Amino acid sequence: MAQSAPPVRVDIVSDVVCPWCIIGYRQLLQAQELSGIEAEIRWHPFELNPDMPDEGQDLREHIAQKYGSTPEQSQSSRDRITALGADLGFDFRFTPEMRMWNTFRAHQLLDWAEGKGRQHDLKLALFHAYFSRGADVSDPAVLEQAAVTAGLDGKAARAALEHGAHAPFVRNKQAQWAARGVHGVPAMVFDRKYMVSGAQGIDGYRAVLNRVAATAG
């Protein structure tokens, strides 16, 4: 293991319904362990489907329409994601009933949670709610429960959603990242300098962490 080094700031632009975002994050965790370099994680909003209606859409139908995937290709992709998740300690449970949801409310709650020092915990709770339980992450009740899971006050979380004060902040942050060229996720920015897109694998993230640590200061 490499000698200890100062934490490296890693800004992760992601959506809570993006499987490669949680895969990339879990790969980054293992890269930290192998490199001995700690990452200081900060999450930022991105909506894969900003026009998704409140009722959502059947996931298989959505994938077919958006990416032109055949049912066989879609199933193969889900199988690969599930296997990768298992190797990384994350439980993907895709079901025939699974739907894609609008995530704008989730991002508003994440913005609120940041001010409470619990954004990271909430982000992980939302990944689990969607991918492991198939929950509707646009539903205020589901979001409230995720907030409780993350150690936040459920009633305060629901009030924050109902008030909607964080909506403009989320839109502004999304616009800022789009202006920086982020049009797909995950996108990770290391030490505010090096941006990498897509899940890079454990070795890929380890290489980036080592590079950043070597050039720090």
Side-chain angles (χ1 to χ4, degrees), residues 16 103-111 122 126 137 143 161:
V16 298
T103 57
F104 187 52
R105 286 195 191 99
H107 287 298
Q108 291 177 67
L109 194 63
L110 285 162
D111 197 73
L122 179 59
L126 289 169
V137 289
L143 294 172
L161 284 173

Side-chain angles (χ1 to χ4, degrees), residues 113-133:
E114 182 178 15
K116 306 295 182 181
R118 291 282 184 175
Q119 185 191 55
H120 181 74
D121 299 306
L122 179 59
K123 186 78 171 187
L124 298 184
L126 289 169
F127 277 132
H128 175 75
Y130 181 64
F131 287 113
S132 300
R133 297 194 291 107

Side-chain angles (χ1 to χ4, degrees), residues 10 12 17 19 31 33 36 72 83 85 87-88 103 109-110 122 125 128 138 147 155 162 175 187 198 203 217:
V10 183
I12 307 179
V17 293
E33 294 180 7
E72 293 76 18
D87 288 342
L88 294 164
T103 57
L109 194 63
L110 285 162
L122 179 59
H128 175 75
S138 71
K155 290 183 179 179
E162 291 174 351
D203 290 340

Side-chain angles (χ1 to χ4, degrees), residues 168-204:
F169 296 109
V170 171
R171 292 297 188 212
N172 183 56
K173 290 175 181 178
Q174 290 174 324
Q176 288 179 6
W177 285 107
R180 293 184 62 177
V182 175
H183 301 294
V185 287
M188 299 189 191
V189 181
F190 292 75
D191 197 29
R192 307 187 191 215
K193 300 174 185 175
Y194 311 103
M195 181 183 291
V196 294
S197 298
Q200 295 294 308
I202 298 168
D203 290 340

